[in-house]
Amino acid sequence: MAGSSAGMTALLCNMNKQIAIFYPTITYQRHNWCVIRRVCMFVSRCQSQAQTKPKSAPQELVGVVGLEIHAQIHSNTKLFSGSQVGFQAPPNSLVSFFDASLPGTLPVLNRRCVEAAVMTGLALNCTINRKSLFDRKHYFYADLPAGYQITQQRLPIAVDGTLTYSHLGGRKRNAVVTKSVRIKQIQLEQDSGKSLHDDYRNQTLIDLNRAGVGLMELVMEPDMSCGEEAAAAVREMQLILQALGTCQGNMAEGQLRVDANVSVHRPGDPWGIRTEVKNINSARNLARAIDYEIQRQMFVLESGGTVQNETRSFDGKTGHTIPMRDKEGLQDYRFMPEPNLPPLMVYEACSTAPPGVAPSQMVVLEEVRERLPELPSVRRQRLVETYGILPEHSFTLVNEDGLMDYFEAVVRETKAGPRKVIGWVMNELQGLLHQQNLRVSQSPISPQALAQILNLQENGQISSSIAKQVFQELWKTPGKTAQQIVKEQDLGMVNDSTEIHRICQKVVDSHPDQVQAIRSGNKKVLNKLMGLVQKETKGRADPVLVRAILEQKTS
């Protein structure tokens, strides 16, 4: 018994070391050590690095992940009322009689919300249903005054789409891995209000500002296997919605909320019992929640237990999922047709609409298609083809908000080639932005300022090392120009060839051993002499000229 306990302790220590390497931000409590079993092997599977096993060994459990994304439609008014939509408005200041479910009030459908759903469906290669229906989905929540939500359960506005997404994989995390997930449907529905729990006074307050705000629920098929894939899919969806203008996608403000349906099974077997992790508010937490839940279910099954069909929440501080309630079924929601709304009709063209329908009341596919903007995947392809940059660089440019516009602005203003510009943007600019936790829009150095630095280097007025020094100075004093810093600190190139010859001769005379090594065939030593010359000139000498002079003097 003592030997078994000691072995278990050693195993737990080894697991904790593994989890610290792969997930350094997640802290696991001692009594939950079991869920971290073989995390390193799980991450390896997620990256499609197959493990070689004996044929007789049973197949290991793998994760199955589907998502439901609730995207708040970018609209001035709510889905069925004229109330304004606003974040952080005073409680209950944006509530109409319909939002409060007063007797006798009726819904009036917001055309903007319908167009947003249609545009999103087209961008995701969905089939747009020319006729869709609204239903009532019954809840008994205090922040849902009517006791039901108007949604589209029977016949949604869009079905059968595809989302193609990419993430960085491979050993060095620099290879772009592209995958796709099927979109089952997109449906229009109302958001609920917000319950504010006051523990001090032991009461719950209701804010109905959010009640009735238009949502698109995007239901993804269970085509993913781990948190990394799910997070990449959500990030791609966020970029698409932002490009379309149909959702601002600010997860911190609740404009994009994700529910994850997670189960595990052995390949070839039926899917396992799933749990739903509700209302995850960031891509990072989504990945953490899914990976934790997969490992938890694996442990339950391998211990002889049964996974419960339940709804869980994610605690971002502990990294754990927590049971909330049993999972509701369709019978619990008591779906019924919405009697106060007629079928929603979408027309292929104005000519296909029946007589008497006002143009202001029509949603026309032909017109929506014409307004589709450049999507993220097209942007990445254009960047690679236009500028000759690597695919992984295009991936970063598009995924980082504002970075692509910054890069293209620099390219337009400078004589330097795109590949040189991408090096500066990815290394110098992003390095300082991440170091100081700043967004691209908050950069002290504008695209024009960076272009000036590169132009000075291209014109031979400063060296590459001095260019980086000027960049650092501009970051500290953004009010100045690159030319001013070069002039004030005397950082311009040394153009006097006589002076450079003199310095090179001085270095050669004071290092006879290195000169002899060069003459004996060790050409690498020449780099050391070049460094000494640059030290004497404070990096202001033309390295090509310096090399030529030193080669002549040491030959």
Side-chain angles (χ1 to χ4, degrees), residues 334-535:
R334 296 181 297 124
F335 283 102
M336 61 171 282
E338 169 53 62
N340 294 325
L341 286 168
L344 172 58
M345 306 302 294
V346 177
Y347 302 102
E348 180 63 37
C350 291
S351 59
T352 62
V357 179
S360 61
Q361 300 299 313
M362 290 192 299
V363 175
V364 181
L365 284 176
E366 192 176 70
E367 296 176 357
V368 177
R369 281 196 191 96
E370 291 175 356
R371 300 204 303 269
L372 282 174
E374 183 183 52
L375 296 177
S377 58
V378 179
R379 288 179 185 172
R380 295 189 190 101
Q381 185 177 355
R382 177 176 62 81
L383 288 169
V384 172
E385 293 175 354
T386 303
Y387 301 111
I389 62 176
L390 297 175
E392 55 264 33
H393 289 161
S394 70
F395 182 86
T396 305
L397 287 178
V398 172
N399 282 27
E400 190 83 25
D401 187 29
L403 196 61
M404 185 187 77
D405 293 336
Y406 189 104
F407 165 76
E408 293 194 301
V410 176
V411 171
R412 286 194 298 268
E413 298 284 338
T414 184
K415 300 176 183 177
R419 291 196 175 188
K420 189 169 188 177
V421 174
I422 196 68
W424 276 83
V425 169
M426 302 293 288
N427 298 322
E428 272 64 42
L429 178 68
Q430 271 208 301
L432 288 175
L433 288 175
H434 291 168
Q435 183 181 328
Q436 300 184 19
N437 197 27
L438 297 175
R439 297 189 299 272
V440 175
S441 60
Q442 297 173 309
S443 170
I445 298 180
S446 66
Q448 292 73 26
L450 177 54
Q452 288 176 3
I453 296 174
L454 295 176
N455 285 337
L456 289 174
Q457 185 183 349
E458 289 297 306
N459 293 336
Q461 295 176 258
I462 58 175
S463 64
S464 58
S465 59
I466 293 297
K468 293 178 182 179
Q469 184 179 333
V470 173
F471 184 88
Q472 295 286 343
E473 290 295 325
L474 268 181
W475 190 274
K476 299 173 188 175
T477 56
K480 295 185 177 181
T481 66
Q483 290 90 336
Q484 287 176 324
I485 292 174
V486 170
K487 185 175 181 180
E488 289 173 3
Q489 301 187 19
D490 192 23
L491 299 175
M493 294 287 282
V494 177
N495 295 318
D496 187 347
S497 62
T498 304
E499 178 65 12
I500 297 177
H501 271 277
R502 185 190 66 78
I503 295 172
C504 288
Q505 188 62 54
K506 176 183 174 182
V507 169
V508 168
D509 292 342
S510 57
H511 295 83
D513 293 341
Q514 284 79 4
V515 172
Q516 184 57 44
I518 294 171
R519 288 172 176 165
S520 299
N522 190 354
K523 300 298 183 182
K524 292 182 179 180
V525 180
L526 189 67
N527 293 330
K528 181 178 180 181
L529 298 185
M530 287 184 64
L532 293 171
V533 172
Q534 292 292 2
K535 185 177 180 181

Side-chain angles (χ1 to χ4, degrees), residues 123-316:
L124 295 173
N125 303 305
C126 291
T127 299
I128 306 299
N129 285 323
R130 303 303 190 270
K131 175 183 177 181
S132 59
L133 304 172
F134 287 100
D135 306 282
R136 289 184 179 181
K137 181 180 181 181
H138 291 82
Y139 294 93
F140 292 101
Y141 294 160
D143 52 17
L144 197 66
Y148 60 84
Q149 175 195 47
I150 299 179
T151 182
Q152 293 187 303
Q153 190 265 340
R154 291 173 297 160
L155 192 58
I157 194 166
V159 295
D160 299 334
T162 304
L163 171 68
T164 301
Y165 64 94
S166 302
H167 61 91
L168 295 177
R171 291 185 178 180
K172 296 183 179 180
R173 308 290 297 167
N174 62 353
V176 177
V177 180
T178 300
K179 297 186 177 182
S180 63
V181 56
R182 291 169 295 159
I183 306 294
K184 180 181 180 182
Q185 65 190 53
I186 300 174
Q187 60 197 49
L188 285 166
E189 61 185 26
Q190 297 170 296
D191 206 346
S192 61
K194 188 175 182 181
S195 297
L196 305 170
H197 304 291
D198 186 346
D199 294 332
Y200 181 75
R201 295 182 176 85
N202 194 30
Q203 63 183 359
T204 296
L205 305 175
I206 305 298
D207 180 8
L208 295 180
N209 281 347
R210 203 174 65 186
V213 169
L215 296 179
M216 291 180 288
E217 181 175 352
L218 302 105
V219 182
M220 295 184 182
E221 298 283 10
D223 296 338
M224 294 159 284
S225 61
C226 65
E228 182 182 22
E229 291 180 3
V234 167
R235 179 57 179 148
E236 186 71 12
M237 181 69 76
Q238 185 181 35
L239 291 171
I240 290 172
L241 296 175
Q242 289 170 340
L244 296 172
T246 57
C247 173
Q248 292 179 305
N250 188 334
M251 299 187 80
E253 294 184 3
Q255 294 171 352
L256 200 68
R257 307 190 295 273
V258 185
D259 302 338
N261 295 301
V262 183
S263 65
V264 298
H265 77 141
R266 288 185 170 83
D269 290 351
W271 284 343
I273 297 173
R274 68 182 173 90
T275 59
E276 183 179 29
V277 186
K278 295 285 288 185
N279 290 332
I280 305 171
N281 62 358
S282 74
R284 178 175 176 270
N285 279 344
L286 176 66
R288 293 173 64 200
I290 290 172
D291 288 344
Y292 176 90
E293 183 61 20
I294 288 173
Q295 294 301 312
R296 185 192 70 83
Q297 292 185 23
M298 284 182 176
F299 174 76
V300 169
L301 294 176
E302 291 176 354
S303 300
T306 302
V307 175
Q308 300 299 314
N309 183 212
E310 61 185 355
T311 299
R312 302 175 72 90
S313 65
F314 177 69
D315 187 333

Side-chain angles (χ1 to χ4, degrees), residues 78-82 96-99 101-111 134-136 146 148-151 190 212 337-342 361:
K78 296 183 180 180
L79 183 58
F80 296 116
S81 79
S96 70
F97 291 156
F98 176 79
D99 301 330
S101 193
L102 297 186
T105 57
L106 293 173
V108 178
L109 184 58
N110 183 340
R111 178 187 174 187
F134 287 100
D135 306 282
R136 289 184 179 181
Y148 60 84
Q149 175 195 47
I150 299 179
T151 182
Q190 297 170 296
E338 169 53 62
N340 294 325
L341 286 168
Q361 300 299 313

